Amino acid sequence: MSAPPAPHEIPADVVNLEDYARHAQARLHPAVWAYLSGGAGDELTLTANQQAWQSIKLLPRVLRTLQGGHTHTTLLGQSLSHPIMLAPVASHRLAHPDGELGVAYAAAAQEAGMILSTQASTRLEEVGQAFLHEPGHGPLWMQLYVQHDRAFTLELVRRAEAAGYQALVITVDAPTSGARDRERRAHFQLPAELAQVNLQGMATPNTPPRGSDPLFDGLMAHAATWDDIAWLRANTHLPMVLKGVLHADDARQAQQLGIQGLIVSNHGGRTLDTAVSTAWALPRIADAVGQDLELIVDGGIRRGTDVLKALALGARAVLIGRPYVYALATSGALGVAHVLRLLRDELAIAMALTGCKTLADIHSGLLIQDGSGAIGA
């Protein structure tokens, strides 16, 4: 048997995003693999995300004039070469020593947008410098968990503004971690040397009184509310995007607050198991908010056809998470760039084979749900 490829080589048998998963599992410590790949509870939502995209069928058009076609779009007023962005994922250095810097260089080289996690293992200023230095880069956004200390939260916002980040992404669907059984069985703990450096210096919240509920009177007592979103909106000039919205009423409330975008997300199935799939939620949120909010979606997107389906259901762009982390673990920054290139090429192929010259030509009439009729029927 031949030796495994070096960390900066792409294995010869990798031809799609899912191929990277088995290589990553072979390279990573079992506890790290459980943390990165696992979901909440019985992992029903984790599985449903991918299955939901697969259940939507394409009804292609033919004999269209496609010369001059492209994947270009705009998002929050910025031009993008394609609608594929990297989702915020904590602690990239768990997967590879290059960590967030390797991911930043890869994303910028592939003209993809990147959202940096608050829980990154690299300082946000270093990532910003690496990403924004590259010509032709896409958008660079900062993901934020609203902290119990407003002063510390505002300090993070000011650091992101000063470092050149172009939007804030506020995660709203994880006031507490989900019950991640696979991760707990593996006894995962974040290594001390991979500390979440952007959160260093934050004071520990007060312990709830004896006899209080440790969740509701402890952690949830400091969880963000709509008042915190309004406060942030008033204290930054950056566009704000809420990540983790599945309910149409929440989408409307965000719209009323002047939020510029939403990420339709169930946290990759890592928080609330049996929550609806993002493919199910996306068209309902699109119907609720109309054209006033720019929508992004994540969760289970593994193919260019999935990207096309997401755009047909009302998204302006998509996020991928686990696939690029698996590629990072397998082949470093080169793997991340390869994943982005594969998905962009698959999107272009899907567009050509459905008769779509540009992203503006993609519409719900190209979709059938399980053979039962038009997607909106």
Side-chain angles (χ1 to χ4, degrees):
M1 182 179 294
S2 61
H8 292 285
E9 293 179 358
I10 295 172
D13 62 345
V14 171
V15 297
N16 61 45
L17 272 62
E18 284 289 82
D19 285 339
Y20 273 111
R22 68 177 184 277
H23 286 280
Q25 184 174 9
R27 290 181 178 278
L28 293 170
H29 187 282
V32 174
W33 172 254
Y35 169 74
L36 293 174
S37 64
D42 298 310
E43 302 188 345
L44 298 175
T45 296
L46 173 64
T47 302
N49 275 342
Q50 201 163 342
Q51 290 178 341
W53 297 114
Q54 294 168 349
S55 74
I56 301 170
K57 308 307 177 187
L58 293 170
L59 186 64
R61 301 298 303 273
V62 298
L63 301 176
R64 299 298 184 95
T65 301
L66 300 178
Q67 185 176 4
H70 57 77
T71 61
H72 300 173
T73 189
T74 59
L75 188 62
L76 297 186
Q78 185 168 356
S79 297
L80 288 81
S81 295
H82 56 86
I84 302 161
M85 300 180 68
L86 299 185
V89 176
S91 305
H92 289 178
R93 288 173 57 211
L94 275 172
H96 192 279
D98 290 349
E100 288 83 3
L101 291 180
V103 171
Y105 285 123
Q110 290 297 320
E111 302 175 308
M114 177 180 178
I115 307 176
L116 181 72
S117 172
T118 296
Q119 297 176 335
S121 49
T122 308
R123 286 178 57 83
L124 67 90
E125 289 85 358
E126 295 177 58
V127 177
Q129 185 175 25
F131 186 93
L132 297 171
H133 180 74
E134 294 294 310
H137 63 78
L140 179 63
W141 297 354
M142 182 72 199
Q143 179 269 342
L144 184 68
Y145 288 105
V146 178
Q147 305 298 317
H148 68 277
D149 182 344
R150 277 192 171 184
F152 189 86
T153 298
L154 195 56
E155 180 184 338
L156 280 173
V157 171
R158 295 290 178 257
R159 286 175 59 193
E161 292 171 344
Y165 288 76
Q166 296 151 310
L168 291 178
V169 176
I170 315 302
T171 295
V172 296
D173 64 345
T176 182
S177 296
R180 300 200 286 261
D181 293 354
R182 194 180 347 165
E183 180 182 322
R184 292 188 293 179
R185 288 191 192 101
H187 304 290
F188 171 79
Q189 289 187 323
L190 186 69
E193 65 272 19
L194 299 185
Q196 295 166 348
V197 294
N198 293 303
L199 294 175
Q200 290 178 347
M202 183 179 65
T204 302
N206 294 329
T207 303
R210 188 178 181 86
S212 300
D213 186 284
L215 176 60
F216 290 102
D217 297 318
L219 188 62
M220 297 304 296
H222 304 287
T225 67
W226 287 107
D227 288 342
D228 294 293
I229 301 302
W231 169 76
L232 269 176
R233 184 78 182 87
N235 279 280
T236 182
H237 66 272
L238 294 177
M240 281 178 51
V241 177
L242 301 189
K243 179 179 183 292
V245 176
L246 295 173
H247 200 293
D249 288 347
D250 289 333
R252 294 187 188 98
Q253 190 158 352
Q255 190 173 30
Q256 292 168 4
L257 280 178
I259 299 301
Q260 288 92 338
L262 299 176
I263 299 174
V264 179
S265 173
N266 52 37
H267 219 91
R270 292 172 64 82
T271 52
L272 178 64
D273 199 23
T274 72
V276 297
S277 71
T278 52
W280 183 92
L282 173 60
R284 290 158 174 82
I285 290 180
D287 287 344
V289 300
Q291 301 298 313
D292 293 339
L293 280 178
E294 296 196 340
L295 301 182
I296 304 166
V297 67
D298 67 10
I301 291 172
R302 298 294 184 268
R303 288 287 189 177
T305 47
D306 298 337
V307 180
L308 186 143
K309 293 170 188 178
L311 301 183
L313 292 175
R316 297 281 299 179
V318 304
L319 304 182
I320 58 170
R322 289 181 179 92
Y324 83 81
V325 179
Y326 297 161
L328 178 68
T330 303
S331 303
L334 184 61
V336 178
H338 187 223
V339 155
L340 287 164
R341 187 73 244 183
L342 284 171
L343 201 56
R344 180 180 180 179
D345 288 348
E346 286 189 8
L347 170 61
I349 292 168
M351 290 171 62
L353 293 176
T354 53
C356 298
K357 183 176 180 178
T358 70
L359 301 188
D361 298 323
I362 299 172
H363 57 87
S364 61
L366 298 171
L367 307 181
I368 299 291
Q369 180 68 59
D370 282 332
S372 60
I375 198 72

PDB file of all heavy atoms in Angstrom, residues 135-158:
ATOM      1  N   PRO A 135      -5.150  40.145  -4.113  1.00  0.00           N
ATOM      2  CA  PRO A 135      -5.982  40.809  -5.116  1.00  0.00           C
ATOM      3  C   PRO A 135      -7.150  39.921  -5.538  1.00  0.00           C
ATOM      4  O   PRO A 135      -7.038  38.699  -5.557  1.00  0.00           O
ATOM      5  CB  PRO A 135      -5.011  41.018  -6.287  1.00  0.00           C
ATOM      6  CG  PRO A 135      -3.945  39.982  -6.095  1.00  0.00           C
ATOM      7  CD  PRO A 135      -3.812  39.789  -4.627  1.00  0.00           C
ATOM      8  N   GLY A 136      -8.272  40.529  -5.836  1.00  0.00           N
ATOM      9  CA  GLY A 136      -9.422  39.784  -6.316  1.00  0.00           C
ATOM     10  C   GLY A 136     -10.197  39.052  -5.243  1.00  0.00           C
ATOM     11  O   GLY A 136     -11.058  38.223  -5.554  1.00  0.00           O
ATOM     12  N   HIS A 137      -9.922  39.339  -3.982  1.00  0.00           N
ATOM     13  CA  HIS A 137     -10.604  38.629  -2.905  1.00  0.00           C
ATOM     14  C   HIS A 137     -12.093  38.962  -2.885  1.00  0.00           C
ATOM     15  O   HIS A 137     -12.532  40.004  -3.375  1.00  0.00           O
ATOM     16  CB  HIS A 137      -9.977  38.979  -1.557  1.00  0.00           C
ATOM     17  CG  HIS A 137     -10.098  40.433  -1.202  1.00  0.00           C
ATOM     18  ND1 HIS A 137     -11.262  40.997  -0.727  1.00  0.00           N
ATOM     19  CD2 HIS A 137      -9.183  41.445  -1.270  1.00  0.00           C
ATOM     20  CE1 HIS A 137     -11.080  42.288  -0.516  1.00  0.00           C
ATOM     21  NE2 HIS A 137      -9.833  42.598  -0.829  1.00  0.00           N
ATOM     22  N   GLY A 138     -12.855  38.072  -2.281  1.00  0.00           N
ATOM     23  CA  GLY A 138     -14.275  38.304  -2.086  1.00  0.00           C
ATOM     24  C   GLY A 138     -14.537  39.039  -0.783  1.00  0.00           C
ATOM     25  O   GLY A 138     -13.626  39.628  -0.182  1.00  0.00           O
ATOM     26  N   PRO A 139     -15.767  38.986  -0.279  1.00  0.00           N
ATOM     27  CA  PRO A 139     -16.093  39.671   0.975  1.00  0.00           C
ATOM     28  C   PRO A 139     -15.449  38.982   2.178  1.00  0.00           C
ATOM     29  O   PRO A 139     -15.292  37.764   2.207  1.00  0.00           O
ATOM     30  CB  PRO A 139     -17.623  39.551   1.057  1.00  0.00           C
ATOM     31  CG  PRO A 139     -18.075  39.103  -0.288  1.00  0.00           C
ATOM     32  CD  PRO A 139     -16.942  38.371  -0.899  1.00  0.00           C
ATOM     33  N   LEU A 140     -15.091  39.770   3.176  1.00  0.00           N
ATOM     34  CA  LEU A 140     -14.590  39.256   4.448  1.00  0.00           C
ATOM     35  C   LEU A 140     -15.512  39.760   5.547  1.00  0.00           C
ATOM     36  O   LEU A 140     -15.606  40.963   5.785  1.00  0.00           O
ATOM     37  CB  LEU A 140     -13.161  39.724   4.702  1.00  0.00           C
ATOM     38  CG  LEU A 140     -12.543  39.261   6.030  1.00  0.00           C
ATOM     39  CD1 LEU A 140     -12.432  37.740   6.080  1.00  0.00           C
ATOM     40  CD2 LEU A 140     -11.177  39.899   6.250  1.00  0.00           C
ATOM     41  N   TRP A 141     -16.194  38.823   6.196  1.00  0.00           N
ATOM     42  CA  TRP A 141     -17.148  39.167   7.231  1.00  0.00           C
ATOM     43  C   TRP A 141     -16.708  38.568   8.560  1.00  0.00           C
ATOM     44  O   TRP A 141     -15.967  37.593   8.601  1.00  0.00           O
ATOM     45  CB  TRP A 141     -18.545  38.646   6.889  1.00  0.00           C
ATOM     46  CG  TRP A 141     -19.148  39.229   5.641  1.00  0.00           C
ATOM     47  CD1 TRP A 141     -18.641  40.230   4.860  1.00  0.00           C
ATOM     48  CD2 TRP A 141     -20.378  38.839   5.027  1.00  0.00           C
ATOM     49  NE1 TRP A 141     -19.485  40.497   3.807  1.00  0.00           N
ATOM     50  CE2 TRP A 141     -20.556  39.651   3.883  1.00  0.00           C
ATOM     51  CE3 TRP A 141     -21.348  37.890   5.344  1.00  0.00           C
ATOM     52  CZ2 TRP A 141     -21.667  39.524   3.055  1.00  0.00           C
ATOM     53  CZ3 TRP A 141     -22.461  37.765   4.522  1.00  0.00           C
ATOM     54  CH2 TRP A 141     -22.617  38.584   3.385  1.00  0.00           C
ATOM     55  N   MET A 142     -17.173  39.158   9.642  1.00  0.00           N
ATOM     56  CA  MET A 142     -16.841  38.693  10.990  1.00  0.00           C
ATOM     57  C   MET A 142     -18.089  38.132  11.653  1.00  0.00           C
ATOM     58  O   MET A 142     -19.105  38.828  11.773  1.00  0.00           O
ATOM     59  CB  MET A 142     -16.292  39.858  11.828  1.00  0.00           C
ATOM     60  CG  MET A 142     -15.871  39.471  13.241  1.00  0.00           C
ATOM     61  SD  MET A 142     -14.363  38.492  13.248  1.00  0.00           S
ATOM     62  CE  MET A 142     -14.466  37.744  14.875  1.00  0.00           C
ATOM     63  N   GLN A 143     -18.007  36.858  12.071  1.00  0.00           N
ATOM     64  CA  GLN A 143     -19.092  36.252  12.828  1.00  0.00           C
ATOM     65  C   GLN A 143     -18.953  36.627  14.296  1.00  0.00           C
ATOM     66  O   GLN A 143     -17.852  36.664  14.837  1.00  0.00           O
ATOM     67  CB  GLN A 143     -19.087  34.733  12.653  1.00  0.00           C
ATOM     68  CG  GLN A 143     -20.181  34.006  13.419  1.00  0.00           C
ATOM     69  CD  GLN A 143     -19.743  33.572  14.810  1.00  0.00           C
ATOM     70  OE1 GLN A 143     -18.561  33.496  15.113  1.00  0.00           O
ATOM     71  NE2 GLN A 143     -20.712  33.310  15.687  1.00  0.00           N
ATOM     72  N   LEU A 144     -20.075  36.867  14.942  1.00  0.00           N
ATOM     73  CA  LEU A 144     -20.057  37.338  16.318  1.00  0.00           C
ATOM     74  C   LEU A 144     -21.108  36.615  17.143  1.00  0.00           C
ATOM     75  O   LEU A 144     -22.273  36.526  16.747  1.00  0.00           O
ATOM     76  CB  LEU A 144     -20.341  38.844  16.345  1.00  0.00           C
ATOM     77  CG  LEU A 144     -20.274  39.554  17.689  1.00  0.00           C
ATOM     78  CD1 LEU A 144     -18.849  39.584  18.221  1.00  0.00           C
ATOM     79  CD2 LEU A 144     -20.821  40.980  17.556  1.00  0.00           C
ATOM     80  N   TYR A 145     -20.673  36.051  18.268  1.00  0.00           N
ATOM     81  CA  TYR A 145     -21.603  35.657  19.321  1.00  0.00           C
ATOM     82  C   TYR A 145     -21.695  36.844  20.276  1.00  0.00           C
ATOM     83  O   TYR A 145     -20.673  37.297  20.809  1.00  0.00           O
ATOM     84  CB  TYR A 145     -21.091  34.441  20.080  1.00  0.00           C
ATOM     85  CG  TYR A 145     -21.143  33.137  19.311  1.00  0.00           C
ATOM     86  CD1 TYR A 145     -19.994  32.569  18.780  1.00  0.00           C
ATOM     87  CD2 TYR A 145     -22.359  32.473  19.127  1.00  0.00           C
ATOM     88  CE1 TYR A 145     -20.042  31.365  18.084  1.00  0.00           C
ATOM     89  CE2 TYR A 145     -22.420  31.276  18.429  1.00  0.00           C
ATOM     90  CZ  TYR A 145     -21.257  30.723  17.916  1.00  0.00           C
ATOM     91  OH  TYR A 145     -21.313  29.539  17.223  1.00  0.00           O
ATOM     92  N   VAL A 146     -22.895  37.353  20.488  1.00  0.00           N
ATOM     93  CA  VAL A 146     -23.057  38.457  21.430  1.00  0.00           C
ATOM     94  C   VAL A 146     -22.675  37.957  22.816  1.00  0.00           C
ATOM     95  O   VAL A 146     -23.223  36.966  23.312  1.00  0.00           O
ATOM     96  CB  VAL A 146     -24.498  38.990  21.414  1.00  0.00           C
ATOM     97  CG1 VAL A 146     -24.660  40.101  22.448  1.00  0.00           C
ATOM     98  CG2 VAL A 146     -24.859  39.499  20.018  1.00  0.00           C
ATOM     99  N   GLN A 147     -21.713  38.624  23.438  1.00  0.00           N
ATOM    100  CA  GLN A 147     -21.202  38.202  24.746  1.00  0.00           C
ATOM    101  C   GLN A 147     -22.017  38.816  25.879  1.00  0.00           C
ATOM    102  O   GLN A 147     -22.735  39.810  25.686  1.00  0.00           O
ATOM    103  CB  GLN A 147     -19.727  38.592  24.871  1.00  0.00           C
ATOM    104  CG  GLN A 147     -18.848  38.072  23.744  1.00  0.00           C
ATOM    105  CD  GLN A 147     -18.817  36.557  23.671  1.00  0.00           C
ATOM    106  OE1 GLN A 147     -18.713  35.875  24.689  1.00  0.00           O
ATOM    107  NE2 GLN A 147     -18.894  36.021  22.457  1.00  0.00           N
ATOM    108  N   HIS A 148     -21.872  38.234  27.069  1.00  0.00           N
ATOM    109  CA  HIS A 148     -22.619  38.753  28.217  1.00  0.00           C
ATOM    110  C   HIS A 148     -22.168  40.153  28.604  1.00  0.00           C
ATOM    111  O   HIS A 148     -22.907  40.906  29.233  1.00  0.00           O
ATOM    112  CB  HIS A 148     -22.465  37.811  29.416  1.00  0.00           C
ATOM    113  CG  HIS A 148     -21.071  37.785  29.983  1.00  0.00           C
ATOM    114  ND1 HIS A 148     -20.067  37.003  29.445  1.00  0.00           N
ATOM    115  CD2 HIS A 148     -20.509  38.454  31.023  1.00  0.00           C
ATOM    116  CE1 HIS A 148     -18.953  37.192  30.140  1.00  0.00           C
ATOM    117  NE2 HIS A 148     -19.185  38.064  31.095  1.00  0.00           N
ATOM    118  N   ASP A 149     -20.952  40.496  28.218  1.00  0.00           N
ATOM    119  CA  ASP A 149     -20.373  41.806  28.528  1.00  0.00           C
ATOM    120  C   ASP A 149     -20.473  42.678  27.280  1.00  0.00           C
ATOM    121  O   ASP A 149     -19.767  42.459  26.296  1.00  0.00           O
ATOM    122  CB  ASP A 149     -18.911  41.613  28.948  1.00  0.00           C
ATOM    123  CG  ASP A 149     -18.221  42.911  29.341  1.00  0.00           C
ATOM    124  OD1 ASP A 149     -18.745  43.993  29.012  1.00  0.00           O
ATOM    125  OD2 ASP A 149     -17.151  42.836  29.972  1.00  0.00           O
ATOM    126  N   ARG A 150     -21.361  43.666  27.307  1.00  0.00           N
ATOM    127  CA  ARG A 150     -21.552  44.505  26.117  1.00  0.00           C
ATOM    128  C   ARG A 150     -20.281  45.262  25.751  1.00  0.00           C
ATOM    129  O   ARG A 150     -19.996  45.471  24.573  1.00  0.00           O
ATOM    130  CB  ARG A 150     -22.713  45.481  26.340  1.00  0.00           C
ATOM    131  CG  ARG A 150     -24.068  44.893  26.068  1.00  0.00           C
ATOM    132  CD  ARG A 150     -25.143  45.964  26.020  1.00  0.00           C
ATOM    133  NE  ARG A 150     -26.416  45.428  25.543  1.00  0.00           N
ATOM    134  CZ  ARG A 150     -27.503  46.158  25.324  1.00  0.00           C
ATOM    135  NH1 ARG A 150     -27.474  47.480  25.552  1.00  0.00           N
ATOM    136  NH2 ARG A 150     -28.618  45.599  24.885  1.00  0.00           N
ATOM    137  N   ALA A 151     -19.510  45.666  26.738  1.00  0.00           N
ATOM    138  CA  ALA A 151     -18.274  46.399  26.451  1.00  0.00           C
ATOM    139  C   ALA A 151     -17.303  45.505  25.680  1.00  0.00           C
ATOM    140  O   ALA A 151     -16.642  45.960  24.730  1.00  0.00           O
ATOM    141  CB  ALA A 151     -17.638  46.896  27.748  1.00  0.00           C
ATOM    142  N   PHE A 152     -17.217  44.237  26.067  1.00  0.00           N
ATOM    143  CA  PHE A 152     -16.330  43.322  25.358  1.00  0.00           C
ATOM    144  C   PHE A 152     -16.858  43.057  23.949  1.00  0.00           C
ATOM    145  O   PHE A 152     -16.087  43.000  22.986  1.00  0.00           O
ATOM    146  CB  PHE A 152     -16.203  42.006  26.128  1.00  0.00           C
ATOM    147  CG  PHE A 152     -15.146  41.096  25.572  1.00  0.00           C
ATOM    148  CD1 PHE A 152     -13.826  41.207  25.968  1.00  0.00           C
ATOM    149  CD2 PHE A 152     -15.471  40.137  24.625  1.00  0.00           C
ATOM    150  CE1 PHE A 152     -12.839  40.378  25.436  1.00  0.00           C
ATOM    151  CE2 PHE A 152     -14.504  39.295  24.083  1.00  0.00           C
ATOM    152  CZ  PHE A 152     -13.181  39.420  24.494  1.00  0.00           C
ATOM    153  N   THR A 153     -18.178  42.898  23.818  1.00  0.00           N
ATOM    154  CA  THR A 153     -18.775  42.709  22.495  1.00  0.00           C
ATOM    155  C   THR A 153     -18.449  43.885  21.593  1.00  0.00           C
ATOM    156  O   THR A 153     -18.054  43.719  20.427  1.00  0.00           O
ATOM    157  CB  THR A 153     -20.301  42.543  22.615  1.00  0.00           C
ATOM    158  OG1 THR A 153     -20.592  41.372  23.377  1.00  0.00           O
ATOM    159  CG2 THR A 153     -20.941  42.426  21.246  1.00  0.00           C
ATOM    160  N   LEU A 154     -18.591  45.095  22.119  1.00  0.00           N
ATOM    161  CA  LEU A 154     -18.326  46.286  21.321  1.00  0.00           C
ATOM    162  C   LEU A 154     -16.846  46.384  20.957  1.00  0.00           C
ATOM    163  O   LEU A 154     -16.496  46.840  19.863  1.00  0.00           O
ATOM    164  CB  LEU A 154     -18.776  47.534  22.082  1.00  0.00           C
ATOM    165  CG  LEU A 154     -18.900  48.816  21.258  1.00  0.00           C
ATOM    166  CD1 LEU A 154     -19.848  48.621  20.085  1.00  0.00           C
ATOM    167  CD2 LEU A 154     -19.378  49.963  22.139  1.00  0.00           C
ATOM    168  N   GLU A 155     -15.983  45.930  21.859  1.00  0.00           N
ATOM    169  CA  GLU A 155     -14.553  45.907  21.545  1.00  0.00           C
ATOM    170  C   GLU A 155     -14.266  44.983  20.365  1.00  0.00           C
ATOM    171  O   GLU A 155     -13.478  45.326  19.472  1.00  0.00           O
ATOM    172  CB  GLU A 155     -13.760  45.450  22.773  1.00  0.00           C
ATOM    173  CG  GLU A 155     -12.248  45.381  22.545  1.00  0.00           C
ATOM    174  CD  GLU A 155     -11.501  44.826  23.735  1.00  0.00           C
ATOM    175  OE1 GLU A 155     -12.046  44.881  24.854  1.00  0.00           O
ATOM    176  OE2 GLU A 155     -10.381  44.328  23.550  1.00  0.00           O
ATOM    177  N   LEU A 156     -14.912  43.820  20.322  1.00  0.00           N
ATOM    178  CA  LEU A 156     -14.756  42.916  19.187  1.00  0.00           C
ATOM    179  C   LEU A 156     -15.239  43.571  17.894  1.00  0.00           C
ATOM    180  O   LEU A 156     -14.596  43.450  16.840  1.00  0.00           O
ATOM    181  CB  LEU A 156     -15.549  41.626  19.426  1.00  0.00           C
ATOM    182  CG  LEU A 156     -14.928  40.557  20.313  1.00  0.00           C
ATOM    183  CD1 LEU A 156     -15.934  39.430  20.558  1.00  0.00           C
ATOM    184  CD2 LEU A 156     -13.663  39.995  19.674  1.00  0.00           C
ATOM    185  N   VAL A 157     -16.358  44.262  17.969  1.00  0.00           N
ATOM    186  CA  VAL A 157     -16.896  44.943  16.796  1.00  0.00           C
ATOM    187  C   VAL A 157     -15.917  46.010  16.295  1.00  0.00           C
ATOM    188  O   VAL A 157     -15.636  46.108  15.087  1.00  0.00           O
ATOM    189  CB  VAL A 157     -18.267  45.573  17.111  1.00  0.00           C
ATOM    190  CG1 VAL A 157     -18.727  46.471  15.963  1.00  0.00           C
ATOM    191  CG2 VAL A 157     -19.296  44.486  17.384  1.00  0.00           C
ATOM    192  N   ARG A 158     -15.361  46.796  17.205  1.00  0.00           N
ATOM    193  CA  ARG A 158     -14.429  47.848  16.809  1.00  0.00           C
ATOM    194  C   ARG A 158     -13.153  47.243  16.201  1.00  0.00           C
ATOM    195  O   ARG A 158     -12.587  47.784  15.252  1.00  0.00           O
ATOM    196  CB  ARG A 158     -14.071  48.710  18.025  1.00  0.00           C
ATOM    197  CG  ARG A 158     -15.253  49.485  18.583  1.00  0.00           C
ATOM    198  CD  ARG A 158     -15.687  50.609  17.628  1.00  0.00           C
ATOM    199  NE  ARG A 158     -16.846  51.307  18.163  1.00  0.00           N
ATOM    200  CZ  ARG A 158     -18.093  51.125  17.732  1.00  0.00           C
ATOM    201  NH1 ARG A 158     -18.332  50.282  16.735  1.00  0.00           N
ATOM    202  NH2 ARG A 158     -19.093  51.802  18.263  1.00  0.00           N
TER     203      ARG A 158
END
